[in-house]
Amino acid sequence: MYTAEMKFVDTHEWVRSEGGNEVTIGITHHAQELLGDLVYVELPSIGQAIKTGDTIGVVESVKAASDLYSPVTGEVTAINDEVVSDPTLANSEPHAAGWLFKVKLADVAELDGLLSTDKYKALIGG
């Protein structure tokens, strides 16, 4: 489920390098389990400049709403329209078809400061 090429933040977003300076970002399996069935996803805009820690969107479930936080600094290059149309994709495939958006990193070295898979698993008790 959590693979070695993934990086994480303690707000339960994952980051996967797509090579070069582009990354794909989504919410973790753990996060979607805590939230329950998602009914609404609000994502940043393509071209939007984002900074690490910024609130950049919202995911809402039948149980709660939760802010999305940017795990990196850069520019949004793509959003997953399919997950906006069908938020349950983030439940059923949070690390694959349920990705949320892509970012062109301002500094690739920023990835070195994110949590490894082992550290994230320790954080969530798994």
Side-chain angles (χ1 to χ4, degrees):
M1 171 181 341
Y2 301 117
T3 60
E5 68 269 1
M6 297 172 85
K7 299 285 189 170
F8 303 87
V9 291
D10 60 4
T11 53
H12 308 292
E13 287 87 13
W14 58 262
V15 178
R16 184 176 48 237
S17 176
E18 300 300 330
N21 65 344
E22 187 168 63
V23 295
T24 301
I25 297 169
I27 62 169
T28 66
H29 177 74
H30 178 73
Q32 69 81 27
E33 279 188 324
L34 292 174
L35 287 166
D37 294 334
L38 295 178
V39 295
Y40 176 75
V41 175
E42 178 185 307
L43 299 175
S45 304
I46 294 174
Q48 181 176 339
I50 59 176
K51 292 182 181 175
T52 302
D54 283 355
T55 302
I56 51 158
V58 175
V59 289
E60 291 183 18
S61 71
V62 293
K63 290 199 253 181
S66 181
D67 288 335
L68 287 173
Y69 298 97
S70 179
V72 294
T73 297
E75 180 182 327
V76 177
T77 59
I79 61 166
N80 187 347
D81 290 325
E82 289 182 26
V83 88
V84 172
S85 298
D86 182 8
T88 61
L89 276 176
N91 289 116
S92 61
E93 297 185 56
H95 303 148
W99 64 274
L100 300 179
F101 58 99
K102 296 184 182 215
V103 172
K104 179 181 175 185
L105 295 170
D107 182 1
V108 176
E110 186 176 13
L111 296 176
D112 296 337
L114 302 180
L115 298 171
S116 67
T117 298
D118 289 342
K119 287 182 180 176
Y120 183 70
K121 285 180 180 178
L123 174 76
I124 62 172

